[in-house]
Amino acid sequence: MSDTSTRELLESTARLAAGYRESLHERPARALMSAADLERALAAPLGDDGESAAEVIAALARIGAAGSVASAGPRYFGFVIGGSTPAALAADWLVSAWDQNGGLQATSPLVSAVEEVTARWLRELAGLPPSMTVGFVTGCQMASFTGLAAARHRVLRDAGWDVEAQGLFGAPPIEVLVGDEAHYTIFLALQLLGLGGSRLRRVPVDRQGRMRADALAATLASLAGPCIVCAQAGNVNSGAFDPLEEIAALTHQHGGWLHVDGAFGLWAAAAPGRAHLVRGIGHADSIATDAHKWLNVPYDCGIVFCADEAAHRSAVSLTSPAQAAPYLATSTRLRDPHEFVPEESRRGRAVPVYALLRTLGRVGLAELIERNCRQARRFAEGLTAAGHEVLNEVVLNQVVVSFGDAERTRRVVAAVQAEGTCWCGSTVWQGRTAMRISVSSAATTDADVERSLAAILRVARGTA
């Protein structure tokens, strides 16, 4: 393809993408085609000869506009999915255009430098020590995997065992403690790390899903040996925060490692009016979070923070020089990003985060967090005033609401999704079937909230 045709293709694609983004303000929040219809539309015969790139992209744009869920739009409140700001989206296009392998400083000094600067800003915004190491991964699932791999290394090293060299066969058993409402990604990370997803100890929580520090203290008092505690900063249903300061003190008194799942709640730290919710976060040994949730960058981007650089590097890097590839030009002075993540080949995920933070600034990010929290409160007030039961204390951006019994609530959720003004998911929280409303998008205006609230109430009135 010539330079001219490349430019024409990219410019036409930019117009198609811009048209799609502009449509999000008025189109239904749900997908407009079923998965089966999409498969039929996409299943053109694969010919011997290639097709025109412009025609292929135009077909993808047409089908994608109908088949995508409007999760980047202003009235999508499902799964704690953020939108993506224009600057973050544009930066993500640059990442693809640059086509860098961000694993080594030698393969992309650009990605290495952007990660270093962005990591510094993120630590400052989250109120974390400047010595914490940072890795950019696919999402909070892989961030927890990485943080817990570092935990496994450190607690076994303290017990005299080198897990990277010797594996888990014969290793001292590790006690893992989690709150009774820990997110499922914690269990999967433990399973992948060979620590077992079902042999852990569950610590009781209060009515909002917060781990009870007194129950943790009692459990720790009965244990000996290597120990990892997993806490939450932002319950996925209620938005509630574990008492991190007390949990950190108890964990460290026991000689354990504290991992915090802060998938979206960590960024409460960036808003002065919400920062008290994460008090004690700086005492965590590792923290997992997402940027594609409340930081509103395109998928995918997760972030892991670690207080023990040696444990972090050892857990995800080859520790034996004899096993290293001789052709890898490892930097002796600058940061090699792959030393902090499980992936070697990787895109420059920090670049959209860099653009997002520079365009919003500290005040803009704080305002985004506070605005979404205020909007969640408005949902709760409107639903309560209409006689529906809000089940959680709305301390953040999450609202959990029941419309009666489980069956009626499920019907209301399905009807709201089908109606299309907004999209909200269902959940089961503390035995109650409910609608969950997650307000996480920078695109959501107060007018979008009022429009969505009116639609939910209208649908609920018409659902027997």
Side-chain angles (χ1 to χ4, degrees):
M1 182 178 287
S2 68
D3 289 343
T4 301
S5 60
T6 298
R7 177 177 290 275
E8 290 172 350
L9 178 64
L10 294 180
E11 288 178 346
S12 67
T13 303
R15 288 192 293 272
L16 291 167
Y20 172 76
R21 294 290 292 218
E22 290 165 354
S23 76
L24 294 175
H25 294 281
E26 293 305 324
R27 62 156 280 182
R30 58 177 168 78
L32 305 178
M33 292 177 69
S34 69
D37 289 340
L38 284 166
E39 186 173 347
R40 283 190 289 272
L42 292 164
L46 183 61
D48 293 333
D49 299 320
E51 301 176 54
S52 158
E55 291 177 1
V56 171
I57 295 303
L60 275 173
R62 182 181 67 257
I63 297 168
S68 60
V69 174
S71 52
R75 295 183 306 282
Y76 188 85
F77 307 113
F79 298 104
V80 202
I81 291 178
S84 51
T85 68
L89 172 61
D92 199 55
W93 287 357
L94 283 178
V95 172
S96 293
W98 292 332
D99 193 23
Q100 302 284 280
N101 181 349
L104 292 167
Q105 185 272 332
T107 56
S108 183
L110 170 65
V111 170
S112 180
V114 170
E115 285 199 9
E116 193 66 35
V117 173
T118 307
R120 184 160 61 245
W121 291 346
L122 291 170
R123 284 191 298 260
E124 292 172 0
L125 289 165
L128 302 177
S131 57
M132 271 194 159
T133 49
V134 181
F136 292 86
V137 292
T138 53
C140 199
Q141 167 72 79
M142 190 52 66
S144 280
F145 175 89
T146 306
L148 289 168
R152 183 183 66 176
H153 169 91
R154 222 276 301 281
V155 299
L156 286 178
R157 182 206 65 192
D158 291 350
W161 188 268
D162 185 342
V163 67
E164 283 76 34
Q166 299 171 273
L168 286 171
F169 298 106
I174 300 174
E175 297 284 358
V176 181
L177 286 69
V178 303
D180 208 28
E181 291 200 5
H183 195 259
Y184 76 90
T185 53
I186 293 292
F187 306 135
L188 182 55
L190 293 168
Q191 176 183 311
L192 293 171
L193 287 164
L195 299 179
S198 60
R199 62 174 298 277
L200 44 76
R201 296 175 183 262
R202 290 178 175 267
V203 179
V205 298
D206 67 14
R207 292 180 60 83
Q208 293 302 310
R210 296 176 289 243
M211 185 191 293
R212 285 174 38 205
D214 62 330
L216 174 65
T219 305
L220 286 171
S222 69
L223 303 178
C227 175
I228 299 169
V229 175
C230 300
Q232 272 190 320
N235 181 287
V236 74
N237 284 307
S238 69
F241 289 70
D242 289 346
L244 298 176
E245 199 162 41
E246 295 173 75
I247 290 172
L250 290 167
T251 302
H252 294 151
Q253 287 167 13
H254 189 77
W257 177 288
L258 174 60
H259 176 76
V260 176
D261 174 3
F264 61 98
L266 174 64
W267 303 112
R274 307 281 166 174
H276 67 280
L277 294 169
V278 292
R279 187 173 59 247
I281 190 69
H283 300 305
D285 297 291
S286 58
I287 304 163
T289 190
D290 276 317
H292 54 231
K293 286 187 170 68
W294 225 347
L295 291 190
N296 278 250
V297 305
Y299 275 85
D300 53 33
C301 184
I303 306 161
V304 59
F305 301 90
C306 189
D308 186 332
E309 180 173 352
H312 191 174
R313 285 176 181 263
S314 296
V316 293
S317 301
L318 282 173
T319 55
S320 170
Q323 296 172 325
Y327 60 84
L328 291 181
T330 303
S331 172
T332 57
R333 186 175 61 87
L334 298 175
R335 184 182 192 276
D336 279 318
H338 79 95
E339 294 185 330
F340 301 94
V341 296
E343 308 104 333
E344 180 73 39
S345 299
R346 52 197 294 280
R347 65 189 277 108
R349 294 190 181 94
V351 176
V353 185
Y354 175 92
L356 178 283
L357 295 179
R358 278 199 68 172
T359 52
L360 284 186
R362 294 176 185 275
V363 173
L365 180 58
E367 199 280 327
L368 164 61
I369 301 300
E370 291 288 5
R371 182 173 72 250
N372 284 165
C373 292
R374 185 184 71 245
Q375 290 166 338
R377 170 59 63 183
R378 172 59 188 137
F379 271 116
E381 290 171 348
L383 290 162
T384 299
H388 305 299
E389 185 181 4
V390 172
L391 304 179
N392 66 314
E393 297 172 5
V394 183
V395 298
L396 204 64
N397 63 334
Q398 302 291 100
V399 182
V400 185
V401 57
S402 168
F403 295 93
D405 62 27
E407 184 55 37
R408 181 168 188 265
T409 297
R410 282 192 287 266
R411 288 199 299 269
V412 171
V413 171
V416 167
Q417 293 174 358
E419 192 270 347
T421 297
C422 62
W423 201 100
C424 307
S426 62
T427 189
V428 176
W429 186 54
Q430 298 195 344
R432 300 284 302 276
T433 298
M435 172 188 282
R436 186 178 65 169
I437 303 171
S438 301
V439 190
S440 311
S441 177
T444 301
T445 65
D446 291 347
D448 288 311
V449 172
E450 296 301 327
R451 180 176 170 185
S452 299
L453 177 59
I456 294 170
L457 295 177
R458 183 172 63 250
V459 169
R461 285 194 299 271
T463 304

